[in-house]
């Protein structure tokens, strides 16, 4: 392999190479599933292709609200001519060579010919660092919806976290039903700083399904601006979660938490007349919390709360009864 800046040298295995229609359609489907933005789109924008300028390094964060335009038109390339154009855009960008090479490595991985190994050959020829190879392997797998395999690369301790919020958001929104181990494994391995309210909200919804107490104390550490919203997410997740013994256990764990005076007010406001008032067993939960804390309330209020808001028998009266006996 010769000069990577020359298309015919980079694609010396087949200078006429073009993406097959099958691969093009697959990539388009993956982009739609990823809310119209792949990680390769973010990387192309990082090179400065979209805005005509480059960053000095791969950023740790990019705004989730930015939608791809030029990047989505460039990738996937529909013909050999389009592929040559994409290559030229990358080469012409003002980014460092190792960033250009990383993106070219990603593109070469799209080649389905496993015998040719063009990506591995290229990485060896340009001495692409292990750190960049691991990251690009993970991002490529993430864009192909191979989330478990991607995590094995993206949680590697050799990496400097790049796009951590976007990766966490993707793992949260594309997990299998009731299978939260991938986003939690990424979070507890990488420990990303979460600044996006949207990412924070969806991650706490995942965390709340796994550990009520940990979520409660974590919400307190997220700052005054986010505390109440995350507290309500926790309460809503418990009451609107799985049914049966698991729900009863989590509900009991919730009502025995050491609320502050302010959290006590939030809890009552949310379940009595706020966004959680129509949740299953909202009334029962509020009544039980008052019993546990020994707080008094009007007889009429007590009657309404103890009736609860049943949803096909989803209340947890039996658990509440055993708890009240325990409190006495």
């Amino acid at each position: 392999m010769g000069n990577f800046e020359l298309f015919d040298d980079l694609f010396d295995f087949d200078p006429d190479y073009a993406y097959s229609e099958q691969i093009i359609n697959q990539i388009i489907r993956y982009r739609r599933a990823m809310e119209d933005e792949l990680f390769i789109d973010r990387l192309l924008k990082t090179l400065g292709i979209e805005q005509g300028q480059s960053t000095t390094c791969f950023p740790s964060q990019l705004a989730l609200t930015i939608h791809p335009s030029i990047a989505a038109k460039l990738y996937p390339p529909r013909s050999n001519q389009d592929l040559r154009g994409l290559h030229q855009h990358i080469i012409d960008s003002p980014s460092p060579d190792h960033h250009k090479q990383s993106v070219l490595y990603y593109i070469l991985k799209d080649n389905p010919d496993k015998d040719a190994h063009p990506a591995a050959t290229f990485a060896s020829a340009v001495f692409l660092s292990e750190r960049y190879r691991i990251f690009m392997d993970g991002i490529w797998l993430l864009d192909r919806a191979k989330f478990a395999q991607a995590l094995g690369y993206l949680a590697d301790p050799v990496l400097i976290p790049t796009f951590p919020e976007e990766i966490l958001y993707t793992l949260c929104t594309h997990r299998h039903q009731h299978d939260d181990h991938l986003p939690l494994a990424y979070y507890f391995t990488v420990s990303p700083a979460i600044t996006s309210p949207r990412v924070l909200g969806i991650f706490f919804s995942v965390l709340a399904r796994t550990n009520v107490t940990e979520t409660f104390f974590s919400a307190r550490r997220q700052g005054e601006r986010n505390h109440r919203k995350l507290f309500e997410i926790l309460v809503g997740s418990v009451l609107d979660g799985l049914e049966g013994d698991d729900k009863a256990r989590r509900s009991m764990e919730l009502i025995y938490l050491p609320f502050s005076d302010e959290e006590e007010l939030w809890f009552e406001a949310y379940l009595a007349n706020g966004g959680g008032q129509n949740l299953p067993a909202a009334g029962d939960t509020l009544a039980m919390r008052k019993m546990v804390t020994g707080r008094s309330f009007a007889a009429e209020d007590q009657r309404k709360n103890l009736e609860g808001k049943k949803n096909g028998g989803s209340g947890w009266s039996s658990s509440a009864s055993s708890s009240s006996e325990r409190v006495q």
Side-chain angles (χ1 to χ4, degrees):
M1 183 174 291
N3 186 351
F4 75 91
E5 294 186 350
L6 300 176
F7 182 90
D8 287 353
D9 284 3
L10 181 64
F11 290 87
D12 57 0
F13 59 91
D14 183 5
D16 296 323
Y17 170 72
Y19 282 51
S20 69
E21 184 176 353
Q22 180 183 9
I23 292 177
I24 291 171
N25 290 334
Q26 284 177 346
I27 293 171
I28 292 173
R29 285 198 300 272
Y30 290 137
R31 178 180 279 121
R32 288 172 181 163
M34 297 285 187
E35 300 183 11
D36 292 325
E37 188 165 29
L38 294 170
F39 282 89
I40 185 62
D41 301 334
R42 296 179 171 96
L43 291 171
L44 290 173
K45 287 192 287 185
T46 300
L47 291 184
I49 289 176
E50 178 146 24
Q51 298 171 337
Q53 57 186 6
S54 151
T55 56
T56 56
C57 61
F58 283 159
S60 60
Q61 302 177 31
L62 282 181
L64 289 171
T65 54
I66 297 176
H67 293 287
S69 55
I70 294 178
K73 294 177 182 177
L74 290 173
Y75 183 86
R78 270 65 170 182
S79 65
N80 178 262
Q81 182 178 357
D82 288 344
L83 180 58
R84 288 176 179 271
L86 174 58
H87 171 265
Q88 197 60 50
H89 274 290
I90 295 169
I91 298 304
D92 290 344
S93 73
S95 299
D97 280 353
H98 55 281
H99 289 175
K100 298 176 186 179
Q101 292 162 355
S102 297
V103 176
L104 291 173
Y105 172 75
Y106 176 109
I107 291 171
L108 287 169
K109 284 178 67 66
D110 287 339
N111 188 309
D113 186 355
K114 302 304 180 183
D115 295 328
H117 301 295
T121 301
F122 170 68
S124 298
V126 299
F127 302 102
L128 188 63
S129 74
E130 180 186 21
R131 180 160 60 93
Y132 281 99
R133 289 184 63 171
I134 291 173
F135 176 69
M136 299 309 296
D137 286 339
I139 290 300
W140 188 88
L141 288 166
L142 205 59
D143 279 346
R144 268 78 194 154
K146 298 179 179 179
F147 303 114
Q149 291 176 258
L151 181 63
Y153 291 92
L154 297 173
D156 194 300
V158 74
L159 296 182
I160 298 173
T162 303
F163 303 133
E165 290 190 83
E166 290 85 346
I167 292 171
L168 182 61
Y169 179 83
T170 299
L171 293 175
C172 285
T173 53
H174 291 87
R175 71 191 189 286
H176 293 297
Q177 188 176 21
H178 306 316
D179 183 4
D180 301 322
H181 79 278
L182 291 182
L184 292 175
Y186 180 77
Y187 177 80
F188 288 113
T189 302
V190 178
S191 300
I194 306 176
T195 59
S196 164
R198 181 166 69 149
V199 178
L200 196 61
I202 194 167
F203 173 68
F204 263 74
S205 296
V206 171
L207 183 61
R209 284 193 297 272
T210 305
N211 191 317
V212 173
T213 301
E214 171 65 24
T215 306
F216 171 72
F217 287 108
S218 293
R220 288 181 168 180
R221 298 192 292 267
Q222 300 305 317
E224 191 173 329
R225 186 181 65 161
N226 296 313
H227 185 187
R228 180 170 185 172
K229 177 183 177 182
L230 297 177
F231 178 84
E232 291 178 350
I233 287 174
L234 168 61
V235 177
S237 175
V238 170
L239 298 188
D240 203 28
L242 298 174
E243 298 297 329
D245 292 341
D246 182 72
K247 180 172 182 177
R249 176 187 59 78
R250 284 159 48 80
S251 297
M252 295 306 301
E253 186 177 355
L254 174 68
I255 67 168
Y256 275 95
L257 288 172
F259 294 172
S260 66
D261 290 343
E262 187 176 39
E263 288 165 338
E264 206 74 64
L265 292 174
W266 294 346
F267 185 76
E268 185 162 354
Y270 180 67
L271 293 182
N273 48 38
Q277 62 180 319
N278 293 320
L279 289 172
D284 285 347
T285 305
L286 183 56
M288 279 301 303
R289 176 66 188 181
K290 290 182 177 182
M291 290 180 188
V292 166
T293 57
R295 296 166 59 215
S296 61
F297 47 97
E300 178 62 14
D301 183 45
Q302 181 178 12
R303 183 188 67 77
K304 290 180 179 178
N305 281 327
L306 288 174
E307 284 178 355
K309 294 180 174 62
K310 308 298 182 182
N311 183 7
S314 63
W316 43 286
S317 304
S318 58
S319 297
S321 298
S322 62
S323 292
S324 62
E325 292 171 4
R326 205 167 67 226
V327 172
Q328 295 173 358

